[in-house]
Amino acid sequence: MKTLHDYYRPLGATGLMVSPLGLGTVKLGRDQGVKYPNGFTIPDDRKAADLLALAHELGINLIDTAPAYGHSEERLGKLLKGQRDNWVIVSKVGEEFESGQSRHDFSAQHTRFSVERSLRRLGTNCIDLVLVHSNGHDLDILEQSDVYTTLETLKREGSIRAFGLSGKTVEGGLLALDKGDCAMVTYNLNEQSERPVIDHATAIGKAILIKKALASGHVCLGSGVDPVQASFELVLGHPGVASAIIGTINPLHLSHNVRVAASVIESRR
Protein backbone atom coordinates (compact mmCIF):
# COMPACT_ATOMS: atom_id res chain seq x y z
CA MET A 1 0.00 0.00 0.00
CA LYS A 2 1.42 3.36 -1.02
CA THR A 3 1.39 6.02 1.69
CA LEU A 4 2.58 9.60 2.09
CA HIS A 5 4.75 9.03 5.18
CA ASP A 6 8.01 9.52 3.26
CA TYR A 7 6.92 12.65 1.39
CA TYR A 8 6.24 15.26 4.07
CA ARG A 9 7.05 18.84 3.14
CA PRO A 10 7.82 21.95 5.21
CA LEU A 11 4.85 24.26 5.73
CA GLY A 12 6.82 27.34 4.75
CA ALA A 13 8.85 28.70 7.66
CA THR A 14 6.43 27.53 10.38
CA GLY A 15 8.61 24.60 11.45
CA LEU A 16 5.73 22.20 10.74
CA MET A 17 6.01 19.27 8.32
CA VAL A 18 2.86 18.29 6.43
CA SER A 19 1.71 15.55 4.11
CA PRO A 20 1.41 16.61 0.45
CA LEU A 21 -2.32 15.89 0.65
CA GLY A 22 -4.52 17.20 3.43
CA LEU A 23 -8.04 16.12 4.34
CA GLY A 24 -10.74 18.75 3.91
CA THR A 25 -13.69 18.24 6.27
CA VAL A 26 -16.55 20.42 5.05
CA LYS A 27 -18.49 17.21 4.28
CA LEU A 28 -18.23 16.13 7.92
CA GLY A 29 -20.27 19.10 9.03
CA ARG A 30 -22.29 20.72 6.26
CA ASP A 31 -24.32 19.59 3.24
CA GLN A 32 -25.94 22.92 2.29
CA GLY A 33 -24.47 25.38 -0.18
CA VAL A 34 -21.45 23.24 -1.12
CA LYS A 35 -20.19 23.22 -4.70
CA TYR A 36 -19.76 19.54 -5.51
CA PRO A 37 -21.18 17.88 -8.64
CA ASN A 38 -22.93 15.13 -6.66
CA GLY A 39 -25.03 15.19 -3.54
CA PHE A 40 -23.80 13.40 -0.42
CA THR A 41 -24.88 12.38 3.06
CA ILE A 42 -22.90 13.62 6.05
CA PRO A 43 -21.27 10.47 7.50
CA ASP A 44 -22.16 9.28 10.98
CA ASP A 45 -19.51 9.17 13.72
CA ARG A 46 -18.48 5.59 12.95
CA LYS A 47 -17.86 6.32 9.27
CA ALA A 48 -16.17 9.62 10.07
CA ALA A 49 -13.86 7.94 12.60
CA ASP A 50 -13.00 5.22 10.07
CA LEU A 51 -12.20 7.87 7.45
CA LEU A 52 -9.87 9.72 9.82
CA ALA A 53 -8.17 6.46 10.83
CA LEU A 54 -7.63 5.59 7.16
CA ALA A 55 -6.23 9.06 6.44
CA HIS A 56 -3.77 8.65 9.30
CA GLU A 57 -2.80 5.15 8.10
CA LEU A 58 -2.20 6.54 4.60
CA GLY A 59 0.22 9.14 5.98
CA ILE A 60 -2.05 12.20 5.92
CA ASN A 61 -1.33 14.46 8.89
CA LEU A 62 -2.98 17.71 7.74
CA ILE A 63 -6.65 18.35 8.43
CA ASP A 64 -8.58 21.40 7.24
CA THR A 65 -11.73 22.71 8.90
CA ALA A 66 -13.56 26.00 9.51
CA PRO A 67 -16.38 27.51 11.56
CA ALA A 68 -18.27 27.87 8.25
CA TYR A 69 -18.18 24.07 7.80
CA GLY A 70 -21.23 23.52 9.99
CA HIS A 71 -20.48 21.03 12.80
CA SER A 72 -17.06 20.03 11.42
CA GLU A 73 -14.92 21.53 14.21
CA GLU A 74 -17.09 20.11 17.01
CA ARG A 75 -17.10 16.67 15.44
CA LEU A 76 -13.34 16.70 14.93
CA GLY A 77 -12.84 17.68 18.57
CA LYS A 78 -14.60 14.48 19.65
CA LEU A 79 -13.30 12.21 16.90
CA LEU A 80 -9.65 13.24 17.35
CA LYS A 81 -9.64 13.08 21.15
CA GLY A 82 -6.30 11.67 22.31
CA GLN A 83 -4.82 12.01 18.80
CA ARG A 84 -3.85 15.70 18.80
CA ASP A 85 -0.15 14.97 18.24
CA ASN A 86 -0.96 13.08 15.02
CA TRP A 87 -2.43 16.09 13.25
CA VAL A 88 -1.56 19.53 11.92
CA ILE A 89 -4.89 21.36 12.23
CA VAL A 90 -5.91 24.24 9.95
CA SER A 91 -9.00 26.27 10.77
CA LYS A 92 -10.30 29.67 9.71
CA VAL A 93 -11.86 32.95 10.82
CA GLY A 94 -14.09 35.52 9.15
CA GLU A 95 -16.94 33.43 7.76
CA GLU A 96 -19.98 32.08 9.59
CA PHE A 97 -22.59 29.81 8.01
CA GLU A 98 -26.02 30.03 9.62
CA SER A 99 -29.48 29.06 8.36
CA GLY A 100 -28.10 28.23 4.92
CA GLN A 101 -26.39 31.61 4.52
CA SER A 102 -22.80 32.83 4.80
CA ARG A 103 -21.94 36.07 6.57
CA HIS A 104 -18.51 37.59 7.12
CA ASP A 105 -17.00 39.45 10.06
CA PHE A 106 -13.31 40.44 10.07
CA SER A 107 -13.36 42.62 13.21
CA ALA A 108 -10.81 42.17 15.99
CA GLN A 109 -13.54 41.17 18.45
CA HIS A 110 -15.03 38.50 16.21
CA THR A 111 -11.60 37.18 15.19
CA ARG A 112 -10.62 36.58 18.82
CA PHE A 113 -14.05 35.14 19.65
CA SER A 114 -13.85 32.80 16.64
CA VAL A 115 -10.38 31.46 17.48
CA GLU A 116 -11.28 30.91 21.14
CA ARG A 117 -14.45 29.08 20.08
CA SER A 118 -12.47 26.92 17.62
CA LEU A 119 -10.00 26.02 20.37
CA ARG A 120 -12.88 24.83 22.57
CA ARG A 121 -14.61 22.95 19.76
CA LEU A 122 -11.43 21.23 18.63
CA GLY A 123 -10.40 20.41 22.20
CA THR A 124 -6.91 21.88 21.84
CA ASN A 125 -4.92 24.71 23.37
CA CYS A 126 -3.28 25.70 20.07
CA ILE A 127 -4.38 25.65 16.43
CA ASP A 128 -1.47 25.11 14.06
CA LEU A 129 -2.66 27.46 11.30
CA VAL A 130 -5.60 29.88 11.12
CA LEU A 131 -6.57 31.30 7.73
CA VAL A 132 -8.81 34.25 7.01
CA HIS A 133 -11.85 32.97 5.08
CA SER A 134 -12.08 35.67 2.41
CA ASN A 135 -15.32 36.94 0.91
CA GLY A 136 -13.41 37.86 -2.25
CA HIS A 137 -12.41 41.39 -1.19
CA ASP A 138 -8.92 40.28 -0.17
CA LEU A 139 -7.16 43.66 -0.15
CA ASP A 140 -9.97 45.37 1.77
CA ILE A 141 -9.88 42.64 4.40
CA LEU A 142 -6.11 42.85 4.84
CA GLU A 143 -5.83 46.65 4.67
CA GLN A 144 -9.08 47.90 6.21
CA SER A 145 -9.90 45.33 8.95
CA ASP A 146 -8.09 44.24 12.11
CA VAL A 147 -8.19 40.53 11.35
CA TYR A 148 -4.48 40.12 10.51
CA THR A 149 -3.20 42.21 13.45
CA THR A 150 -5.49 40.23 15.79
CA LEU A 151 -4.17 36.92 14.44
CA GLU A 152 -0.62 38.22 14.91
CA THR A 153 -1.46 38.95 18.57
CA LEU A 154 -3.01 35.50 19.02
CA LYS A 155 0.15 33.96 17.55
CA ARG A 156 2.28 35.88 20.05
CA GLU A 157 -0.01 34.72 22.85
CA GLY A 158 0.41 31.08 21.74
CA SER A 159 -3.20 30.32 20.75
CA ILE A 160 -2.15 29.75 17.14
CA ARG A 161 1.18 28.79 15.56
CA ALA A 162 0.75 30.53 12.21
CA PHE A 163 -1.78 32.54 10.20
CA GLY A 164 -2.59 33.49 6.64
CA LEU A 165 -5.32 34.01 4.06
CA SER A 166 -7.56 31.69 2.09
CA GLY A 167 -8.09 34.23 -0.64
CA LYS A 168 -9.40 34.70 -4.14
CA THR A 169 -7.05 37.21 -5.79
CA VAL A 170 -3.39 37.43 -6.72
CA GLU A 171 -3.00 40.81 -5.01
CA GLY A 172 -4.53 39.48 -1.81
CA GLY A 173 -2.35 36.39 -1.83
CA LEU A 174 0.84 38.38 -2.31
CA LEU A 175 0.01 40.79 0.53
CA ALA A 176 -1.09 37.92 2.76
CA LEU A 177 2.29 36.22 2.33
CA ASP A 178 4.27 39.39 3.00
CA LYS A 179 2.43 40.02 6.27
CA GLY A 180 1.65 36.45 7.34
CA ASP A 181 2.81 32.85 7.12
CA CYS A 182 0.63 31.22 4.49
CA ALA A 183 -1.70 31.68 1.53
CA MET A 184 -4.29 29.15 0.44
CA VAL A 185 -4.99 29.50 -3.28
CA THR A 186 -7.09 27.86 -5.97
CA TYR A 187 -4.87 26.01 -8.44
CA ASN A 188 -6.00 23.23 -10.75
CA LEU A 189 -6.17 22.15 -14.38
CA ASN A 190 -9.03 24.60 -15.02
CA GLU A 191 -7.86 27.59 -12.98
CA GLN A 192 -4.24 28.78 -12.67
CA SER A 193 -4.56 32.55 -12.35
CA GLU A 194 -3.20 32.54 -8.76
CA ARG A 195 0.07 30.87 -9.76
CA PRO A 196 2.04 34.13 -9.14
CA VAL A 197 1.17 33.76 -5.45
CA ILE A 198 2.74 30.29 -5.39
CA ASP A 199 5.81 31.57 -7.21
CA HIS A 200 6.19 34.44 -4.70
CA ALA A 201 5.86 32.07 -1.74
CA THR A 202 8.61 29.89 -3.21
CA ALA A 203 10.89 32.93 -3.52
CA ILE A 204 10.38 34.12 0.08
CA GLY A 205 10.04 30.75 1.85
CA LYS A 206 6.41 31.08 2.90
CA ALA A 207 3.72 28.40 2.90
CA ILE A 208 1.18 27.56 0.20
CA LEU A 209 -1.86 25.33 0.59
CA ILE A 210 -3.97 24.48 -2.44
CA LYS A 211 -7.77 24.39 -2.42
CA LYS A 212 -9.88 22.92 -5.23
CA ALA A 213 -6.92 20.95 -6.60
CA LEU A 214 -9.41 18.63 -8.30
CA ALA A 215 -11.72 21.56 -9.19
CA SER A 216 -14.24 20.35 -6.55
CA GLY A 217 -14.66 17.15 -8.55
CA HIS A 218 -15.37 18.96 -11.81
CA VAL A 219 -12.10 18.14 -13.64
CA CYS A 220 -12.72 16.34 -16.94
CA LEU A 221 -10.10 15.23 -19.45
CA GLY A 222 -9.95 13.14 -22.59
CA SER A 223 -10.35 9.38 -22.43
CA GLY A 224 -7.35 7.47 -21.15
CA VAL A 225 -6.14 10.34 -18.96
CA ASP A 226 -6.60 10.02 -15.20
CA PRO A 227 -7.79 13.49 -14.08
CA VAL A 228 -6.47 12.91 -10.57
CA GLN A 229 -2.99 12.08 -11.87
CA ALA A 230 -2.93 15.06 -14.24
CA SER A 231 -4.11 17.34 -11.43
CA PHE A 232 -1.47 16.15 -8.97
CA GLU A 233 1.27 16.38 -11.59
CA LEU A 234 0.40 20.06 -11.95
CA VAL A 235 -0.20 20.92 -8.30
CA LEU A 236 2.40 18.80 -6.51
CA GLY A 237 4.94 19.50 -9.24
CA HIS A 238 5.29 23.11 -8.11
CA PRO A 239 8.09 23.40 -5.51
CA GLY A 240 6.19 26.09 -3.60
CA VAL A 241 3.22 23.87 -2.74
CA ALA A 242 3.24 22.36 0.74
CA SER A 243 -0.04 20.48 0.48
CA ALA A 244 -3.27 20.18 -1.49
CA ILE A 245 -6.47 19.93 0.53
CA ILE A 246 -8.81 17.24 -0.81
CA GLY A 247 -12.34 17.11 0.59
CA THR A 248 -13.62 13.55 0.39
CA ILE A 249 -15.68 11.24 2.60
CA ASN A 250 -15.20 8.27 0.26
CA PRO A 251 -12.51 5.83 1.52
CA LEU A 252 -11.88 4.51 -2.01
CA HIS A 253 -11.37 8.03 -3.38
CA LEU A 254 -9.06 8.84 -0.47
CA SER A 255 -6.93 5.73 -1.04
CA HIS A 256 -6.81 6.37 -4.79
CA ASN A 257 -5.78 10.00 -4.27
CA VAL A 258 -2.95 8.98 -1.95
CA ARG A 259 -1.75 6.22 -4.27
CA VAL A 260 -1.66 8.59 -7.25
CA ALA A 261 -0.02 11.43 -5.30
CA ALA A 262 2.70 9.11 -3.98
CA SER A 263 3.38 7.81 -7.51
CA VAL A 264 3.55 11.33 -8.94
CA ILE A 265 6.01 12.48 -6.25
CA GLU A 266 8.08 9.30 -6.59
CA SER A 267 8.37 9.73 -10.35
CA ARG A 268 9.84 13.21 -9.88
CA ARG A 269 12.57 12.19 -7.46
Side-chain angles (χ1 to χ4, degrees), residues 86-250:
N86 295 339
W87 299 96
V88 173
I89 296 178
V90 180
S91 194
K92 304 183 188 77
V93 294
E95 182 180 353
E96 301 287 325
F97 187 79
E98 297 155 347
S99 307
Q101 295 290 320
S102 278
R103 68 176 178 86
H104 292 84
D105 187 339
F106 304 106
S107 66
Q109 182 181 11
H110 186 266
T111 300
R112 182 173 282 277
F113 161 79
S114 182
V115 169
E116 289 173 353
R117 180 186 59 189
S118 293
L119 288 165
R120 284 195 305 276
R121 286 176 170 176
L122 290 162
T124 186
N125 58 10
C126 182
I127 300 169
D128 297 301
L129 174 64
V130 171
L131 300 172
V132 181
H133 224 158
S134 175
N135 59 4
H137 302 293
D138 296 351
L139 288 181
D140 285 349
I141 294 165
L142 295 173
E143 294 175 339
Q144 313 283 329
S145 82
D146 294 322
V147 64
Y148 242 44
T149 52
T150 307
L151 290 174
E152 198 170 5
T153 301
L154 289 163
K155 180 180 173 179
R156 271 201 312 274
E157 292 171 1
S159 297
I160 66 178
R161 284 197 177 87
F163 65 93
L165 174 78
S166 177
K168 300 188 180 182
T169 66
V170 171
E171 297 77 17
L174 296 175
L175 185 59
L177 287 172
D178 287 341
K179 293 188 170 185
D181 303 296
C182 179
M184 180 184 268
V185 302
T186 298
Y187 188 57
N188 58 52
L189 293 169
N190 300 344
E191 176 54 67
Q192 295 164 40
S193 64
E194 291 175 74
R195 177 167 178 142
V197 182
I198 312 176
D199 295 340
H200 183 58
T202 312
I204 64 173
K206 296 288 182 77
I208 288 287
L209 296 178
I210 302 296
K211 56 187 170 181
K212 302 177 185 168
L214 301 176
S216 301
H218 293 279
V219 166
C220 294
L221 294 169
S223 60
V225 180
D226 180 351
V228 174
Q229 181 170 337
S231 298
F232 289 162
E233 283 173 351
L234 172 76
V235 172
L236 300 178
H238 195 300
V241 172
S243 187
I245 307 299
I246 307 296
T248 184
I249 50 174
N250 184 318

